[in-house]
Amino acid sequence: METLIYKSSIAVHVLCGILSLAAGLVAMIANKGGKIHNGAGLVFYWSMFMIFVTTSIFFILYPTNLKYQFFLGIGIVSFYPNWSGKRMLSMKKGLMPTMIDKIGAWLVGISGICMLAYGAYLTQNPPKSFGGLNILFFVFGMVSLANAYGDLKVYLGFVKAEKMHWFFAHAGKMMGAYSAAITAFFVNIVPRFFPENTPFFIFIVMWTAPGVIIGILSARIIKKYQVKFKVEPKPSIFSRIKLSFNKKELA
């Protein structure tokens, strides 16, 4: 029975992985709000949902397997922005987060803390196989915390939502989910075609590059729509640090 569940889940997982990569790309390049964008977006959302479900099944079946422990972590990292990004579409008339939105943000934050702690554990107790996963636990743990912080500071009223917040949050979250999906593909599939003596830093670059590249593309796309909707862009963290230093010098 266990084998049947596992093999069935693998088949669904692979199919939905292919669908998510294809549908996500179509949704990104299609006209926003059009039928193609909306249809591809729905396929992407439900494909990512099933990827999360099957990933959870793998972990339940083999909870001590390091590979599936990591897959559960990246499953959470990819599904939260996918879920919360779709939730933003119901807040077009104003940001009105419900309790479920706040609980989701807290849970992904807790997940991030757990991943950081597990990354520290793996650093002190390196596994015999899948070396370097401690670094990825650190990276995606920080990503989860950043997602939680970004949402909770708005949900709890510490920061006022910008004009068209729902649009920019939806776009950023969905591209973040797509980035995580590509990363999962590079972590699980691509290394199988590399020789055994491949330097480890190659894998690190390969695992982190998709997020960096899509992050840059996401920033450019969002900036384009900020100009279109006449929304003043938020100052970058580097700009805020520079401004803080300037104020100290003036004081």
Side-chain angles (χ1 to χ4, degrees):
M1 187 64 178
E2 177 183 311
T3 303
L4 177 61
I5 294 174
Y6 177 76
K7 288 185 176 179
S8 300
S9 298
I10 282 287
V12 173
H13 189 85
V14 171
L15 175 62
C16 290
I18 295 171
L19 286 174
S20 67
L21 294 177
L25 182 60
V26 171
M28 281 195 291
I29 63 179
N31 291 329
K32 305 301 176 280
K35 289 184 178 180
I36 295 177
H37 172 82
N38 294 343
L42 280 175
V43 173
F44 176 74
Y45 176 83
W46 288 110
S47 296
M48 293 296 290
F49 174 80
M50 289 307 301
I51 288 173
F52 177 67
V53 169
T54 52
T55 299
S56 300
I57 291 174
F58 298 149
F59 177 74
I60 292 170
L61 290 175
Y62 308 106
T64 60
N65 188 306
L66 180 58
K67 180 173 72 171
Y68 295 128
Q69 291 170 355
F70 174 71
F71 283 178
L72 179 64
I74 198 171
I76 294 171
V77 170
S78 60
F79 181 69
Y80 175 74
N82 180 57
W83 172 77
S84 57
K86 189 173 186 299
R87 292 283 301 161
M88 285 294 137
L89 296 178
S90 65
M91 303 184 196
K92 293 181 180 181
K93 295 182 179 180
L95 189 68
M96 296 175 287
T98 63
M99 183 59 68
I100 191 67
D101 296 305
K102 296 174 183 178
I103 291 174
W106 279 111
L107 287 176
V108 79
I110 293 171
S111 170
I113 294 173
C114 291
M115 280 191 274
L116 289 176
Y118 200 50
Y121 170 78
L122 292 177
T123 301
Q124 294 296 320
N125 304 274
K128 294 180 180 179
S129 59
F130 300 107
L133 280 188
N134 59 320
I135 296 175
L136 294 182
F137 272 108
F138 284 134
V139 171
F140 292 114
M142 292 301 297
V143 170
S144 292
L145 284 178
N147 279 327
Y149 173 75
D151 284 344
L152 287 172
K153 69 180 182 181
V154 179
Y155 292 168
L156 300 178
F158 292 107
V159 175
K160 184 178 178 181
E162 63 183 342
K163 176 185 176 183
M164 297 290 290
H165 176 81
W166 70 269
F167 179 88
F168 295 111
H170 171 74
K173 286 172 176 292
M174 286 305 188
M175 283 188 278
Y178 188 72
S179 171
I182 292 181
T183 299
F185 173 79
F186 274 87
V187 169
N188 189 38
I189 303 298
V190 177
R192 301 180 185 185
F193 300 97
F194 279 53
E196 292 184 2
N197 60 346
T198 300
F200 179 67
F201 76 90
I202 296 293
F203 294 105
I204 294 297
V205 171
M206 180 180 63
W207 294 338
T208 55
V212 173
I213 293 171
I214 292 180
I216 293 172
L217 291 175
S218 173
R220 292 178 66 88
I221 292 171
I222 288 175
K223 186 176 182 180
K224 169 188 171 183
Y225 281 97
Q226 284 175 331
V227 173
K228 180 178 180 180
F229 296 135
K230 297 180 180 180
V231 175
E232 185 177 348
K234 294 181 180 179
S236 67
I237 186 170
F238 300 106
S239 299
R240 292 197 294 268
I241 292 173
K242 184 178 179 181
L243 181 61
S244 176
F245 276 115
N246 289 339
K247 286 181 177 180
K248 288 181 180 180
E249 290 177 0
L250 291 173

